[in-house]
Amino acid sequence: MKYRADIDGLRALAVVPVVLYHVGVPGFAGGFVGVDIFFVISGYLICGMIDADIRNGSFSLGNFYKRRILRILPALFVMFLVTSVFAYIYFLPAELIGYAKSLASAIGSVSNAYFAQTSGYFDAPAETKPLLHTWSLSVEEQFYFIAPLLMLFVYRRFPKRARLLFAVIAAISFAAAIAMSMRNANFTFYLTPFRAWELALGAMLAIKFIPVPETTFWKNICGGAGLLLLIGVILLGSASVPLLLMTSLACLGAVLVIASSESGVSMAGRLLSLPPLVAIGLISYSLYLWHWPLIVFQRTDLLFGAESAASTKLTLITLAVGLAYLSWKLVELPFRSMARETSKGAVFGAASAAMGSTFALCALVFFASGAPYRFPQRVVDIGTYLAYDSSAAFRTGRCFISANRQRFDAETCLKLDPARPNYLLIGDSHAAHLWSGLSAAMPQVNIMQATASECRPAVPAERRGGLKACRDVMELAFNDFLVNNRVDKVILAASWKDEDLPNLSATLDTLKSRGIDVVVLGPIVEYAAALPRLLSDGILRDHPALASTKRTPGIRERDHVMSALVKAHGASYSSVYDAVCRDGHCDEFVEADIPMQFDEGHLTDKGAAEVGRRLSAVFGNKLTRTSNVSN
């Protein structure tokens, strides 16, 4: 295929919004669709080259994979090397083990599957995963492996129907993505079968299955519409818009832009061929590789400081562009120039050696338990809570639903006890983390549990995340169980936000009209990062008050507002914040080196036991009064 400067310009239009979105520059809320633009470009270029080579009889699988290795791996491995050094210096043992797993999966071109499986609600946030962005590379690498094999088979066995191949793939993949989006949003986002339609769209354009405009008028209409669509999605879109709608619009825009210059350059093509855009497009691969690790390590305060958020963002962008240029100039270009003079055996051998060595280092991290000798023992002990498993305490998969594939166990979680007062705890994970502590502190009470991830206790159900089961759990609790069974108390708890208060008011009115006694538990103190990480950093930096400087603002004020609101609606209110924080000080440890919380806000089992004890002491009379009346 002949070189097209406009496609390098389109690469710039893809990578710049991704970088700005990740850095946090305002106005680019839809910038993440740049990855989808890359998928369309890759499908167009790769399948176009394969198609041309197969048709003229010059295609070689060995040469194809050799070129892909020289194009992708050298710059990728340099990024891996530098990132791994920083990870070794900074990451606590649990974090280093997680990093090694992500590195091994990236080397094996399956990091998209790894992150799809590990990006649960309680998993470490994206900002702590320096290799998270390799998921998209794994999607492309899997496509590179499968596409030429499929094309060879179909072109030889069914040459007259060869062009239908990618249309069928696109249709099946898109239909599967729609179906999966209703069950598991993570899988839809990360996994190749549900992204293949995007690459297939580019392939369909390359093999001329999709018609292209021939006249100047229609070329300009096509290109202009595509650019407007892309810019509109990038500037006006957001993560709250359904993913498939965003990606569909972005891919359609990319197809229109590429098609507009397929048989002669359009106005959009000329615009994208401007030297500054082409220059960014040339370094776009390296820019994508480097920008995310820089952002992650900057957020750990490991790289550099800045006087303001704006200067930090500008410094990050400048550094990312500088590293990208060096990577392109010193790594990408030299290795790509070796394509003709280097044998396949040498390339495959060097790649295998590099991959094998990296796998061995990852295995060493596992066997060394994350190299704890790098830190003082107290830091290691605190850091173990970064790998804390909350499933037993939360009763995950039974009474706390955190994934669509899980089913609520009503027989266990809503079992009435005729010998004790029965209270029903309803809410999200911030209700679930209190269940064990409240149950232990008040053994005279049967506390039932109906909780789901990011699911506010409201009538009707209010779902904040992508969990479809939220509505089912809330409907069961409010409109089935409470309608058909008598309980002594309903306890509502959640990670309350200001926007939840109108629905909370309506819910309290609904429950009051049914004659149900309600206690609302307020929000708990939260932090900008996982509390064990902050506590460890405070020790390592000799800054004992570090965690207190990272508290999420506004929660104390929200606690006061909620107290007045709940009492105005005739319900009882208990402050979880006050159970943890007093006189401007928040308890960060339960005892010794056991943190109160294992992430930004959720309680450890010991933390839940302590908070449950304090809450029972504060409002125990409110909760047990019914018990005295019943007996």
Side-chain angles (χ1 to χ4, degrees), residues 560-615:
H560 287 149
V561 170
M562 287 188 64
S563 177
L565 180 149
V566 170
K567 292 173 183 176
H569 284 268
S572 299
Y573 185 81
S574 289
S575 172
V576 181
Y577 192 98
D578 285 345
V580 179
C581 305
R582 298 176 301 278
D583 301 324
H585 169 75
C586 295
D587 292 332
E588 296 159 356
F589 291 98
V590 183
E591 57 186 58
D593 295 329
I594 301 176
M596 182 69 75
Q597 290 146 293
F598 64 85
D599 61 5
E600 291 87 350
H602 296 97
L603 294 165
T604 61
D605 54 351
K606 295 284 189 180
E610 179 61 22
V611 172
R613 183 187 67 77
R614 295 178 186 179
L615 288 175

Side-chain angles (χ1 to χ4, degrees), residues 212-235:
V212 299
E214 298 293 340
T215 66
T216 300
F217 175 79
W218 286 111
K219 288 177 188 177
N220 292 332
I221 291 293
C222 182
L227 276 182
L228 288 175
L229 194 55
L230 290 175
I231 294 171
V233 173
I234 290 167
L235 298 182

Side-chain angles (χ1 to χ4, degrees), residues 278-415:
V278 173
I280 296 173
L282 289 173
I283 65 170
S284 60
Y285 174 59
S286 286
L287 182 55
Y288 183 78
L289 289 182
W290 284 101
H291 86 283
W292 183 249
L294 287 173
I295 291 171
V296 169
F297 287 116
Q298 165 56 25
R299 287 172 179 168
T300 67
D301 297 326
L302 184 63
L303 289 182
F304 55 87
E307 295 182 358
S308 69
S311 62
T312 298
K313 292 171 184 177
L314 180 60
T315 303
L316 277 172
I317 293 169
T318 303
L319 185 57
V321 171
L323 286 174
Y325 175 77
L326 292 175
S327 175
W328 172 73
K329 186 73 173 179
L330 302 178
V331 182
E332 285 192 62
L333 289 183
F335 276 94
R336 288 167 67 178
S337 67
M338 296 167 55
R340 290 187 178 181
E341 61 190 42
T342 307
S343 68
K344 292 189 289 288
V347 171
F348 294 149
S352 299
M355 294 171 68
S357 299
T358 308
F359 279 128
L361 288 174
C362 292
L364 186 61
V365 170
F366 301 146
F367 287 125
S369 301
Y373 49 80
R374 295 171 296 137
F375 300 102
Q377 186 59 46
R378 187 180 181 216
V379 170
V380 172
D381 291 341
I382 295 170
T384 59
Y385 283 88
L386 291 169
Y388 179 81
D389 184 358
S390 64
S391 57
F394 283 47
R395 301 200 287 181
T396 302
R398 292 183 297 149
C399 307
F400 173 66
I401 304 304
S402 61
N404 285 317
R405 63 182 178 276
Q406 297 170 352
R407 291 293 176 265
F408 184 74
D409 183 359
E411 185 175 344
T412 298
C413 310
L414 299 179
K415 185 176 182 179

Side-chain angles (χ1 to χ4, degrees), residues 51-119:
D51 175 75
D53 288 347
I54 290 177
R55 293 187 182 281
N56 64 29
S58 64
F59 182 75
S60 163
L61 270 177
N63 286 333
F64 173 79
Y65 291 129
K66 183 183 80 170
R67 289 195 300 268
R68 290 296 89 204
I69 288 171
L70 292 173
R71 174 71 176 92
I72 295 171
L73 293 192
L76 182 63
F77 269 81
V78 171
M79 184 273 290
F80 283 158
L81 176 62
V82 175
T83 302
S84 297
V85 170
F86 279 102
Y88 183 81
I89 293 171
Y90 177 75
F91 282 168
L92 296 172
E95 295 171 315
L96 188 62
I97 290 173
Y99 173 80
K101 291 178 179 178
S102 68
L103 177 57
S105 66
I107 294 296
S109 299
V110 292
S111 64
N112 60 328
Y114 171 76
F115 289 119
Q117 290 289 346
T118 59
S119 295

